[in-house]
Amino acid sequence: MNRNDADIFCWEYAEGKHPINVALISIVCSDDKADKVMIDLYKKYNLAKYNDEFNIIKFSFYNFDDIEAPIDGLCEFRNEDAVRMAKFIKKNFNKVDKFIVTCDAGYSRSAGIGAAISKYFYNNDMEYFNSNGKYCPNMLCYKKLLNELVGEE
C-alpha cells in the first residue's frame, strides 16, 4: 500500500469504515523520519483510542531505502530490521485480521514484505510475483524477512 492509501485507510478506520483488527507496518526512506511520518498520521486520526487490550491497531516503523544491494549513502533493509519485523508479525498474527504494509509507492518494499508474510503463513506468494506489474517485490526485503520468519521457529 502506498503512503496516500495508508492515509486514506487510517482516516476511514477512524471513521469506523473498517471493522477489522489491523497491524500496520510502515516503511519510509532512510532520509525520512519514519516515526514522525506515521506518528503524525496516528495522532491525526486519534488512533490511540484503538490501540487497547483488543489490539485493534498496532504500528511498527522502519527506515530503509528501496535497494537490493549496498549503495553508498543509502540504507538497506538490515538484519536487525528483519528480526524486529518478524517478532512484530509473529506476536500479532493471531491478534489481527490483516497486516497492512505501507511504503512510499506501495510497489517494491511493501510488496517484498507482504510476499514474505504470505509465503510464510500461507505458502503462497504468487499474488505479489504474478501481479502483471502491480508489484515488483524487493527481493532483499523478501529474503531477509522470510529467512527470519523461518529461522525464528
Side-chain angles (χ1 to χ4, degrees):
M1 177 181 288
N2 65 44
R3 188 80 50 230
N4 185 58
D5 289 346
D7 191 36
I8 292 168
F9 177 86
C10 288
W11 176 80
E12 290 176 346
Y13 195 90
E15 295 290 313
K17 295 181 182 178
H18 297 287
I20 58 172
N21 299 336
V22 299
L24 180 66
I25 297 172
S26 176
I27 304 164
V28 297
C29 293
S30 63
D31 60 347
D32 291 335
K33 303 291 185 219
D35 292 343
K36 180 166 179 19
V37 170
M38 289 310 291
I39 288 174
D40 285 351
L41 190 62
Y42 189 80
K43 289 178 182 174
K44 179 178 177 182
Y45 298 114
N46 193 23
L47 295 176
K49 68 182 179 181
Y50 300 105
N51 197 8
D52 60 15
E53 69 272 12
F54 299 108
N55 299 298
I56 292 178
I57 195 160
K58 295 283 187 187
F59 285 86
S60 189
F61 307 102
Y62 302 87
N63 283 79
F64 59 90
D65 294 297
D66 191 6
I67 58 174
E68 294 185 355
I71 297 175
D72 286 343
L74 297 179
C75 180
E76 67 182 64
F77 185 51
R78 299 169 298 257
N79 291 332
E80 55 267 25
D81 294 326
V83 168
R84 190 165 61 93
M85 193 179 288
K87 287 180 181 178
F88 176 79
I89 291 164
K90 286 186 171 184
K91 176 183 175 187
N92 290 292
F93 185 78
N94 290 318
K95 298 177 183 177
V96 299
D97 300 311
K98 181 182 282 194
F99 279 92
I100 295 177
V101 186
T102 179
C103 64
D104 296 321
Y107 178 72
S108 181
R109 290 172 293 176
S110 58
I113 299 302
I117 293 170
S118 185
K119 180 68 172 178
Y120 178 74
F121 287 105
Y122 305 110
N123 197 31
N124 186 350
D125 54 13
M126 297 315 296
E127 172 185 353
Y128 298 93
F129 289 102
N130 288 343
S131 66
N132 292 323
K134 182 177 179 182
Y135 303 115
C136 182
N138 179 302
M139 293 308 293
L140 182 66
C141 295
Y142 175 79
K143 289 175 184 175
K144 280 191 176 184
L145 180 58
L146 187 57
N147 286 341
E148 193 57 43
L149 287 167
V150 170
E152 201 177 83
E153 295 178 341

